[in-house]
Amino acid sequence: MVQSIGTKKIKCAVLISGTGSNLKSLIQFSKKKNSPISIELIISDNFKSKGLQLGKIYKISNKVFNFKKKIVAEKKMIYEMKNKKIKLICLAGFMKILSKEFIKNFKGKILNIHPSLLPKYKGLNTHQRAILNKEKYSGCTVHFVNSKLDSGKIILQKKVRISNSDTAKSLAKKILSQEHKLYPKAIRKILNL
Ligand code: GRF
């Protein structure tokens, strides 16, 4: 369980692979007055991840680990997290699957955001599949991470209507803007704030 004690901020790490728009919204959330979190570390599995620029802009320490050697990468991550006293890990577009061992080290402290109304459409290409199935709604979910893909306990969801003219691209855009609001809300929720 993640507990907020007094006025001390919960130290967070954010794991990314790509653009980092959710990372940006989490950074902005962390900078708000009375925010319960501070972002101390950004980790990517990809040197080309655009989100790494945000680390430079906001002066947040950032690291890139090569997941071709996953066990080594995870050991290094655990070292960094313990060193920085990280109490909450937010996956934000992180495209690698973490091992059971890694998850055990941070039980109940890893969150993920997924662009569908879980348990529907786990995995990739969620928007395309929702449209092909003629769903009326899709959305996004923040959930705890367990060892099965996109399957941990759901914290919060936001529904988004799919219109007839939506393409996977337009739907992704609509959902992404909701993701940016949902992640901070979900963090407040698990901290009982
Ligand atoms: C988001 O849609 C997130 O739900 C999914 O990957 C995308 C990451 O986008 N897991 P960004 O890198 O945060 O812009």
Side-chain angles (χ1 to χ4, degrees):
M1 217 178 102
V2 188
Q3 271 181 317
S4 152
I5 307 162
T7 51
K8 258 194 166 176
K9 295 197 184 237
I10 305 280
K11 294 184 187 225
C12 295
V14 183
L15 272 56
I16 58 168
S17 296
T19 315
S21 69
N22 276 291
L23 165 63
K24 190 172 181 191
S25 93
L26 289 175
I27 294 173
Q28 284 166 346
F29 171 57
S30 76
K31 303 271 179 214
K32 278 195 175 153
K33 219 177 151 196
N34 299 327
S35 172
I37 61 161
S38 70
I39 297 175
E40 304 288 331
L41 181 62
I42 298 166
I43 290 178
S44 177
D45 62 316
N46 175 7
F47 276 104
K48 292 186 182 149
S49 172
K50 272 196 194 162
L52 286 168
Q53 309 286 348
L54 294 164
K56 288 184 193 128
I57 296 170
Y58 290 95
K59 300 194 173 34
I60 301 169
S61 134
N62 58 85
K63 301 264 170 199
V64 179
F65 296 122
N66 182 352
F67 265 70
K68 278 188 185 146
K69 289 184 181 160
K70 181 164 161 169
I71 296 175
V72 179
E74 287 189 343
K75 274 199 177 141
K76 287 183 183 165
M77 285 208 305
I78 293 171
Y79 173 82
E80 289 294 332
M81 307 252 181
K82 303 249 156 151
N83 195 25
K84 292 208 173 306
K85 301 194 168 38
I86 298 295
K87 297 286 182 281
L88 181 67
I89 300 173
C90 298
L91 309 190
F94 184 65
M95 299 302 282
K96 293 288 185 292
I97 295 174
L98 296 166
S99 71
K100 277 186 189 168
E101 281 317 302
F102 182 89
I103 295 168
K104 246 195 235 163
N105 268 275
F106 300 96
K107 208 166 169 254
K109 293 183 173 145
I110 312 177
L111 313 182
N112 182 38
I113 187 151
H114 184 76
S116 79
L117 293 173
L118 290 173
K120 280 190 167 182
Y121 306 113
K122 295 174 183 176
L124 298 174
N125 303 319
T126 54
H127 311 303
Q128 192 66 40
R129 288 187 283 145
I131 290 170
L132 281 174
N133 283 344
K134 303 203 182 326
E135 299 280 4
K136 290 211 161 37
Y137 293 93
S138 186
C140 44
T141 304
V142 178
H143 64 93
F144 285 105
V145 171
N146 65 13
S147 57
K148 289 192 196 132
L149 181 70
D150 301 327
S151 296
K153 191 172 175 238
I154 291 171
I155 300 162
L156 269 186
Q157 293 187 303
K158 175 74 185 176
K159 250 184 176 183
V160 172
R161 193 170 164 73
I162 304 179
S163 67
N164 290 335
S165 60
D166 264 327
T167 60
K169 202 173 165 193
S170 67
L171 183 58
K173 200 171 162 200
K174 278 202 261 185
I175 292 178
L176 196 59
S177 71
Q178 293 303 324
E179 291 183 37
H180 299 155
K181 296 180 200 156
L182 194 71
Y183 220 154
K185 269 192 196 162
I187 291 173
R188 284 199 189 277
K189 186 173 174 195
I190 63 159
L191 297 173
N192 294 317
L193 296 170

